């Protein structure tokens, strides 16, 4: 079973950093990643430039879309972080309140996918009522994999509700 | 009215889990085999995820948990007609089977539960007729509460 590609609309992304730039993550206890390990109190932050940004392991989001959560389950250590996607926070979102940005960190390399010629499907039928509640704005099947485009704010609020 | 003028209906008879069920053939758009199902987060267990039907995501429902039975792991799906873009996971297709009106036993809502319309005898065995609308309704309701 292939895993899903998960996309974030580019207008939600401030910038993406990868490689050495994210190696200096603050020591944290993210040796085991599960929903309980998300620290919504913002005590764990990723260091970037001279600021600290609260983060969420993006792999957790991917894991939620995977058929076999146990197989795909990845332990993230700070030294394994390869990519951080910096999301501009919305003041009105109530998510990470008071923070200008938050980061989705992942041990995987991110790809900037060329969706120029890709057919995105508007939600229809049951997915029309279901997907927006899950934070899925559009979806497509890219390289045979289900590829939801998620609104990070809606999705993470949903995720927080399940913690 | 004689027998020759009696209306006939055609059913898709199939197995889900260990029991036989039927759907009106006109409710069946397509039968898919071995399609990968991509799970979705935050949904009830009977909503298995989505599959790729000609580039569009169709929600996959395992009807058995709603019927009080064990879940299925089969990779056979009935695509339902209609705008719901919904598939039912089943275990095995048996055959298309025709009946007359008089062969059918319709349930009252009190005795059937909303998921069954009625039943008929199929080779000396009672086959339960599923109400596809009920699955669409419960999925839409739960989708709204997701």
């Amino acid at each position: 079973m292939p895993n899903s590609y998960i996309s974030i609309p580019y207008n939600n992304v401030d910038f993406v950093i990868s490689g050495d730039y994210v190696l200096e993550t603050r020591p944290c206890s993210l040796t085991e990643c599960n929903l309980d390990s998300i620290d919504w109190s913002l005590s764990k932050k990723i260091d970037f430039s001279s600021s600290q940004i609260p983060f969420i392991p993006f792999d957790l989001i991917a894991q939620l879309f995977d058929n076999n959560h146990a197989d795909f389950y990845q332990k993230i250590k700070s030294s394994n972080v390869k990519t951080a996607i910096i999301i501009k926070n919305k003041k009105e979102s109530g998510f990470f309140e008071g923070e200008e940005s938050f980061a989705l960190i992942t041990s995987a390399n991110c790809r900037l996918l060329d969706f120029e010629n890709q057919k995105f499907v508007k939600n229809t039928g049951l997915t029309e009522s279901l997907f927006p509640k899950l934070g899925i704005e559009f979806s497509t099947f890219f390289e045979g994999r289900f590829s939801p485009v998620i609104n990070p704010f809606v999705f993470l609020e949903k995720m927080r509700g399940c913690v | 009215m004689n027998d020759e003028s009696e209306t006939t209906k055609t059913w898709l008879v199939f197995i889900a889990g260990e029991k036989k069920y039927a759907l009106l053939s006109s409710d069946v758009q397509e039968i898919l085999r071995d399609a990968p199902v991509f799970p979705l987060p935050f949904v009830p267990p009977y909503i298995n995820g989505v599959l790729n039907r000609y580039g569009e995501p169709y929600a996959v429902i395992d009807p058995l948990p709603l019927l009080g039975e064990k879940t299925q792991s089969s990779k056979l799906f009935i695509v339902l007609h209609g705008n719901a873009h919904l598939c039912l996971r089943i275990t095995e297709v048996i055959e298309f089977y025709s009946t007359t009106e008089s062969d059918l036993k319709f349930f009252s809502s009190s005795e059937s539960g909303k998921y069954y319309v009625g039943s008929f005898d199929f080779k000396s065995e009672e086959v339960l007729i599923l109400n596809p609308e009920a699955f669409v309704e419960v999925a839409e309701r739960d989708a709204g509460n997701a």
Side-chain angles (χ1 to χ4, degrees), chain A residues 49-119:
Chain A
S49 190
S50 58
S51 60
Q52 292 185 337
I53 302 171
F55 68 87
I56 294 166
F58 192 64
D59 302 51
L60 288 179
I61 297 174
Q63 180 181 320
L64 290 169
F65 282 98
D66 193 80
N67 192 43
N68 191 335
H69 292 188
D71 282 354
F72 191 64
Y73 176 88
Q74 292 187 37
K75 293 181 177 178
I76 303 177
K77 295 179 180 176
S78 57
S79 59
N80 286 341
V81 174
K82 288 184 179 170
T83 307
I85 304 165
I86 312 299
I87 307 289
K88 283 180 284 192
N89 204 2
K90 290 182 178 177
K91 288 181 181 175
E92 70 275 16
S93 74
F95 189 76
F96 286 137
E97 204 168 349
E99 299 285 341
E100 289 186 6
S101 307
F102 62 89
L104 302 173
I105 61 168
T106 174
S107 58
N109 287 312
C110 286
R111 290 170 61 185
L112 187 60
L113 294 176
D114 179 9
F115 280 153
E116 190 174 343
N117 297 315
Q118 185 71 13
K119 176 191 171 194

Side-chain angles (χ1 to χ4, degrees), chain A:
Chain A
M1 174 68 65
N3 301 319
S4 298
Y5 283 116
I6 298 159
S7 303
I8 297 171
Y10 204 69
N11 59 4
N12 286 132
V13 178
D14 198 358
F15 53 90
V16 178
I17 51 178
S18 61
D20 294 341
Y21 292 103
V22 291
L23 288 181
E24 291 184 16
T25 49
R26 197 182 208 186
C28 67
S29 58
L30 269 178
T31 52
E32 289 188 8
C33 276
N34 53 46
L35 286 176
D36 294 334
S37 75
I38 297 176
D39 190 343
W40 302 100
S41 67
L42 316 182
S43 64
K44 297 165 189 164
K45 295 187 178 183
I46 188 171
D47 284 340
F48 178 70
S49 190
S50 58
S51 60
Q52 292 185 337
I53 302 171
F55 68 87
I56 294 166
F58 192 64
D59 302 51
L60 288 179
I61 297 174
Q63 180 181 320
L64 290 169
F65 282 98
D66 193 80
N67 192 43
N68 191 335
H69 292 188
D71 282 354
F72 191 64
Y73 176 88
Q74 292 187 37
K75 293 181 177 178
I76 303 177
K77 295 179 180 176
S78 57
S79 59
N80 286 341
V81 174
K82 288 184 179 170
T83 307
I85 304 165
I86 312 299
I87 307 289
K88 283 180 284 192
N89 204 2
K90 290 182 178 177
K91 288 181 181 175
E92 70 275 16
S93 74
F95 189 76
F96 286 137
E97 204 168 349
E99 299 285 341
E100 289 186 6
S101 307
F102 62 89
L104 302 173
I105 61 168
T106 174
S107 58
N109 287 312
C110 286
R111 290 170 61 185
L112 187 60
L113 294 176
D114 179 9
F115 280 153
E116 190 174 343
N117 297 315
Q118 185 71 13
K119 176 191 171 194
F120 276 85
V121 181
K122 282 186 179 177
N123 301 328
T124 55
L126 184 61
T127 60
E128 187 175 15
S129 50
L130 180 60
F131 279 6
K133 303 278 177 134
L134 307 181
I136 300 173
E137 294 187 345
F138 297 95
S139 66
T140 187
F141 288 91
F142 186 74
E143 296 177 354
R145 304 178 186 197
F146 178 57
S147 305
V149 179
I150 64 169
N151 177 320
F153 299 97
V154 176
F155 191 90
L156 292 172
E157 280 293 354
K158 190 77 192 168
M159 206 166 153
R160 178 159 64 174
C162 291
V163 172

